[in-house]
Amino acid sequence: MKKLIQNILIILVLTILIMFSYACLDNKISGQSFSEFVQWMIKPFNKADKMNKRKGTNTTPNHYKAVWLSYLEFGAYLKSSKNNTEKEFRKFFQHVTEHAKEEGFNTIIVHVRPFGDALYPSKYFPWAACISGTQGKNPGYDPLKIMTEIAHKNGMRIEAWINPYRVSSGTDRKKLSKDNPAEKWMNDKATKRNVLSYDGGLYFNPSSKTVRDYIVKGVCEIVENYDVDGIHADDYFYPQFTEDNVKNSFDALDYYRDKRKGKIKKGISLAEWRRENVNRLVAAIYGAIKERKSNVTFGISPAGNLNNLRSDFEYYTDIDTWVGKEGYVDYLMPQIYWGFTNDMAPFDQVVDEWVKLMKNSPVKLYIGLQLYRMGNSEPGQSDINELQTATLIKKQLQYIKKKTEVQGVCFFSYQYLDCNNTSYSFETREFSKRRKRILYEIELHLKQWI
């Protein structure tokens, strides 16, 4: 018996050595930590176990369960790291991926184009400040390459999240790098209107074909150079206007100029023209993606309130066209960030409106849910009482599951799922014990709920 045990141990050790040698020869663990190697070794067993657990449940691999990882989380990583190296970033994203997977997620949406900059070496946009500390500064590694690699090795889908038009949240041009296209365009009289200033922020001009073509090129280089599963855009299209300025602000000047020159069809209003500007970009992005890799998805996460989306004062997202016609998006993920008692947009009512809108649409419907509001006790919120209990999230997920038209969910954002983390300077570190307790209760039960 003793000899049999010894033989089994010898076989086990030899098997591990063979697997380790194969991994080295095949570059499977190049630049990875020991924990990543172990994860790679046990992945087949984990996968089989996961599949067994999923049988007979609503949490099949095809059910979309995502979480956003925003530029704020990257900023927290940067603030917390003594040395911003590839090793440290790998450690950070490995933690994020493993934790998200433990919570039941199968997709992570990573912010790669937050402010007219990039978390990857780009021909079109400078390095993002949130990953190097200064816009245009090379961190010395390729974050998107690392994230794609780690996500896939952990069995997770990964989507690259872009803000198409947002250049900055302020108007201080000193924070823009010299190679930022916005800075170059603003310094040239012939192209200065490619960038517009409004309400304390800078935006690429949606009415400019040069801008649209440039944004599409930026998307193409992601799809061509990285094995991402999707491209994701949020609701940063047009800013919000008022009755007083809607006809004379932002790109209105371009509208009247082109109208005088006969470049705009008669009868096309300013609002319709703005919607068409966004439509042109969305259709161009979709077409460019499918031309290169047909299996890569393109989705948009618009604001949740349909009345606002159809307004003549903001967003200018032609939601009805996107839903009714092919060639724009693969999925829509409205941000329904309110409770059932919200007096302006009750959760169940808004979900029902989206379900009705997309009943016969070829476009998939996912729902974006809030975590960032949970436990928030600031006055003036009509659903404030609901926010003080973790069961709101459970109730929302239960409501969604009854709607067969809804095929997935996404949570904003990752840091609120990791509120007790002490390694990284997430915003949640500063929360009260009461608020942390609410978020931690969600974290404990979320895998069961989704």
Side-chain angles (χ1 to χ4, degrees):
M1 183 68 180
K2 184 177 180 181
K3 189 173 181 179
L4 176 63
I5 294 173
Q6 288 176 339
N7 288 337
I8 291 172
L9 289 172
I10 291 171
I11 292 171
L12 181 61
V13 170
L14 288 173
T15 300
I16 292 173
L17 287 172
I18 291 169
M19 291 179 72
F20 187 87
S21 300
Y22 169 75
C24 289
L25 289 171
D26 201 33
N27 292 320
K28 293 276 186 187
I29 59 171
S30 176
Q32 297 178 28
S33 65
F34 178 73
S35 64
E36 289 178 89
F37 168 65
V38 173
Q39 181 70 26
W40 173 80
M41 282 183 55
I42 66 175
K43 184 177 179 180
F45 305 102
N46 281 342
K47 185 175 182 181
D49 183 56
K50 294 284 186 184
M51 290 301 292
N52 289 332
K53 288 181 180 179
R54 282 170 174 157
K55 288 180 179 179
T57 71
N58 192 34
T59 54
T60 64
N62 292 328
H63 190 68
Y64 187 95
K65 295 170 288 185
V67 60
W68 279 290
L69 186 71
S70 77
Y71 78 94
L72 296 172
E73 278 92 342
F74 291 122
Y77 151 75
L78 187 62
K79 184 179 178 181
S80 309
S81 301
K82 292 182 180 179
N83 297 301
N84 181 21
T85 62
E86 178 175 342
K87 182 179 179 180
E88 286 298 307
F89 185 78
R90 280 183 174 275
K91 180 181 177 182
F92 165 73
F93 194 72
Q94 182 70 28
H95 165 77
V96 169
T97 306
E98 289 178 352
H99 190 70
K101 190 173 182 178
E102 288 170 3
E103 295 298 318
F105 294 99
N106 55 28
T107 303
I108 187 163
I109 302 176
V110 296
H111 219 166
V112 299
R113 281 268 324 284
F115 290 98
D117 48 20
L119 273 82
Y120 55 91
S122 172
K123 293 188 296 184
Y124 306 104
F125 299 96
W127 280 102
C130 68
I131 200 61
S132 65
T134 304
Q135 190 177 88
K137 181 181 177 182
N138 188 337
Y141 56 90
D142 186 339
L144 182 53
K145 180 180 179 181
I146 293 168
M147 291 189 290
T148 303
E149 172 193 318
I150 292 176
H152 286 162
K153 285 185 177 179
N154 280 276
M156 298 275 282
R157 294 180 71 261
I158 184 169
E159 297 186 24
W161 168 15
I162 67 169
N163 289 114
Y165 293 126
R166 186 173 66 179
V167 175
S168 72
S169 56
T171 55
D172 184 4
R173 290 174 56 180
K174 293 179 181 178
K175 293 183 179 180
L176 301 180
S177 66
K178 293 181 180 179
D179 57 344
N180 190 309
E183 182 65 17
K184 293 179 180 179
W185 283 333
M186 285 188 290
N187 285 328
D188 188 332
K189 186 177 180 180
T191 58
K192 66 178 183 179
R193 285 203 59 78
N194 284 343
V195 183
L196 303 175
S197 174
Y198 181 79
D199 196 26
L202 294 174
Y203 299 81
F204 290 122
N205 187 343
S207 72
S208 168
K209 185 178 185 304
T210 300
V211 165
R212 292 195 298 268
D213 291 346
Y214 203 86
I215 292 170
V216 172
K217 287 178 182 177
V219 170
C220 289
E221 72 173 349
I222 297 174
V223 176
E224 289 169 354
N225 298 332
Y226 298 93
D227 188 24
V228 295
D229 299 289
I231 298 294
H232 177 90
D234 60 21
D235 59 346
Y236 279 93
F237 292 103
Y238 274 85
Q240 185 175 13
F241 304 112
T242 67
E243 288 187 11
D244 293 331
N245 69 13
V246 67
K247 293 183 178 180
N248 53 39
S249 295
F250 208 61
D251 62 349
L253 178 66
D254 303 283
Y255 168 75
Y256 296 118
R257 179 200 63 205
D258 288 350
K259 194 173 182 180
R260 287 194 303 271
K261 293 181 178 181
K263 294 182 178 181
I264 298 175
K265 291 181 180 179
K266 290 184 178 181
I268 300 296
S269 69
L270 175 60
E272 291 169 335
W273 177 76
R274 284 172 168 164
R275 289 190 189 95
E276 188 54 35
N277 288 334
V278 177
N279 280 351
R280 289 190 182 102
L281 176 71
V282 171
I285 291 175
Y286 181 90
I289 292 171
K290 300 304 178 181
E291 184 180 339
R292 284 154 180 80
K293 294 179 182 178
S294 60
N295 63 319
V296 173
T297 61
F298 177 44
I300 294 177
S301 179
N305 192 315
L306 282 168
N307 289 333
N308 291 344
L309 294 181
R310 292 173 175 139
S311 167
D312 286 347
F313 295 95
E314 57 190 322
Y315 298 116
Y316 300 97
T317 54
D318 191 357
I319 199 72
D320 297 288
T321 294
W322 299 354
V323 167
K325 295 181 179 180
E326 294 184 354
Y328 288 94
V329 292
D330 293 303
Y331 72 77
L332 288 170
M333 187 190 294
Q335 300 168 25
I336 307 180
Y337 288 169
W338 310 287
F340 292 85
T341 60
N342 188 281
D343 57 6
M344 296 295 292
F347 180 81
D348 51 345
Q349 179 180 313
V350 177
V351 169
D352 288 351
E353 288 173 353
W354 278 94
V355 167
K356 182 180 179 181
L357 172 69
M358 301 182 66
K359 188 173 182 179
N360 298 312
S361 174
V363 178
K364 291 183 178 180
L365 173 61
Y366 307 142
I367 302 297
L369 296 174
Q370 87 290 349
L371 284 174
Y372 74 98
R373 294 187 70 223
M374 297 306 299
N376 190 323
S377 57
E378 293 180 3
Q381 304 175 91
S382 56
D383 51 2
I384 190 169
N385 291 332
E386 287 184 292
L387 299 177
Q388 310 314 312
T389 171
T391 54
L392 171 60
I393 297 295
K394 179 181 180 181
K395 186 179 177 183
Q396 289 177 327
L397 288 168
Q398 287 175 335
Y399 191 84
I400 289 171
K401 283 184 178 181
K402 295 176 184 178
K403 308 293 180 179
T404 56
E405 297 87 352
V406 180
Q407 300 181 51
V409 294
C410 186
F411 286 86
F412 187 84
S413 66
Y414 171 82
Q415 63 176 309
Y416 301 95
L417 292 171
D418 205 1
C419 62
N420 288 320
N421 187 297
T422 57
S423 298
Y424 303 106
S425 299
F426 295 138
E427 179 188 14
T428 51
R429 179 186 286 188
E430 308 299 325
F431 285 175
S432 66
K433 290 182 179 179
R434 177 193 57 80
R435 192 172 182 187
K436 281 187 176 182
R437 188 164 57 248
I438 293 169
L439 289 169
Y440 186 58
E441 187 178 344
I442 294 170
E443 183 182 343
L444 286 176
H445 299 291
L446 189 57
K447 188 173 184 178
Q448 301 170 358
W449 295 347
I450 64 173

